[in-house]
Amino acid sequence: VQLVESGGGSVQSGGSLRLSCAASRYTSQYFCMAWFRQSPGKGREGVATIRADGRTTYADFVNGRFTISKDNAENALLLQMRNLNSEDTAKYYCAASPLFTSSLLSDAFTMWGQGTQVTVS
């Protein structure tokens, strides 16, 4: 199983980015998929999850700015990010879990991509 993120880059504060995660198997078969992020000196933190039934969960810091979704036809997990600020600067990771969970804790996820860097200035 492979997860490959793309779509990161540099953006000015207030800007938008759309992250994508290509999965090597049908995204509809994962019980839960998620986006995490990690900035230097900080632990990996959950950003958003989406369960197989479509239920989504967001971290408090998202505050309505991000939207997680799946494109099952393209086997892709997406994260639309709007109104970005400097605190959103981090490496963003795609993850998949064999559990039917909405957890934002990294322990629930067993499959990880290599990450894509997002820098907001």
Side-chain angles (χ1 to χ4, degrees), residues 65-114:
R65 301 178 298 132
F66 299 173
T67 303
I68 188 172
S69 62
K70 287 195 296 183
D71 184 340
N72 289 332
E74 297 293 329
N75 294 331
L77 178 70
L78 307 172
L79 184 68
Q80 178 68 52
M81 303 188 293
R82 299 179 178 86
N83 195 20
L84 289 161
N85 59 61
S86 59
E87 294 183 351
D88 296 316
T89 294
K91 196 165 189 179
Y92 284 71
Y93 297 87
C94 171
S97 174
L99 305 175
F100 193 66
T101 181
S102 294
S103 174
L104 287 168
L105 299 177
S106 58
D107 289 352
F109 295 83
T110 56
M111 291 162 279
W112 295 87
Q114 295 300 307

Side-chain angles (χ1 to χ4, degrees), residues 37-52:
R37 70 184 189 183
Q38 187 168 17
S39 53
K42 294 180 68 175
R44 193 167 293 189
E45 60 180 353
V47 177
T49 67
I50 183 166
R51 285 187 340 194

Side-chain angles (χ1 to χ4, degrees), residues 17 21 24-25 45 57 60 63 73-74 87 92 95 102 109 119:
L17 279 176
C21 171
S24 62
R25 57 180 283 187
E45 60 180 353
T57 302
D60 290 343
N63 199 24
E74 297 293 329
E87 294 183 351
Y92 284 71
S102 294
F109 295 83
T119 302

